[in-house]
Amino acid sequence: QVQLVESGGGLAQAGGSLTLSCAASGRTFNGYTIGWFRQAPGKGREFVARIRWNNGIITYADSVKGRFTISRDYTKNTVHLQMNNLGLADTAAYYCAAKWSPWAGTDPAVYEYWGQGTQVTVSS
């Protein structure tokens, strides 16, 4: 079992940056796939990025590729999402999710554990 706590959301100017964090408690991320998803009002939950904790293999959604970076912090048992060059389309609630699997997919339905979400709002 793993509990996920997200932080780092807030208000950013278009073109600016924010870093989100997802901290695990109860156990380490060892053996998990960790994903970031986002959901805007009236929209479905959208895949953003995923990472295999053990080997660091990463996948990004095309919409964020080259702008967002997902990474591991072994010292803090935390996954980060560095978001650069933010645009209005990035405004959403961002969620961290985890699944006990060597490689989980991009469908949010396959993920077992979810954080509470953190709001990212991008202004012009």
Side-chain angles (χ1 to χ4, degrees):
Q1 298 295 115
V2 59
Q3 295 79 46
L4 307 176
V5 179
E6 298 150 330
S7 61
L11 180 65
Q13 187 177 7
S17 299
L18 286 173
T19 299
L20 307 182
S21 298
C22 174
S25 62
R27 64 187 300 170
T28 71
F29 276 128
N30 188 40
Y32 283 82
T33 298
I34 304 95
W36 283 98
F37 298 82
R38 64 188 183 186
Q39 187 166 15
K43 302 289 187 179
R45 193 159 293 184
E46 176 190 13
F47 169 76
V48 176
R50 67 180 178 185
I51 186 169
R52 286 177 172 174
W53 182 260
N54 288 35
N55 61 21
I57 294 176
I58 290 168
T59 303
Y60 294 103
D62 289 341
S63 60
V64 306
K65 193 175 299 181
R67 299 189 298 120
F68 291 11
T69 302
I70 189 171
S71 62
R72 303 167 293 175
D73 186 333
Y74 288 113
T75 300
K76 298 181 179 180
N77 196 37
T78 299
V79 171
H80 301 287
L81 184 69
Q82 175 68 45
M83 305 184 296
N84 297 326
N85 194 24
L86 287 164
L88 297 179
D90 297 314
T91 294
Y94 283 72
Y95 297 87
C96 177
K99 180 176 175 59
W100 177 258
S101 171
W103 192 243
T106 60
D107 185 351
V110 308
Y111 285 79
E112 300 172 298
Y113 308 104
W114 291 83
Q116 79 285 358
T118 184
Q119 179 68 37
V120 172
T121 301
V122 182
S123 63
S124 60

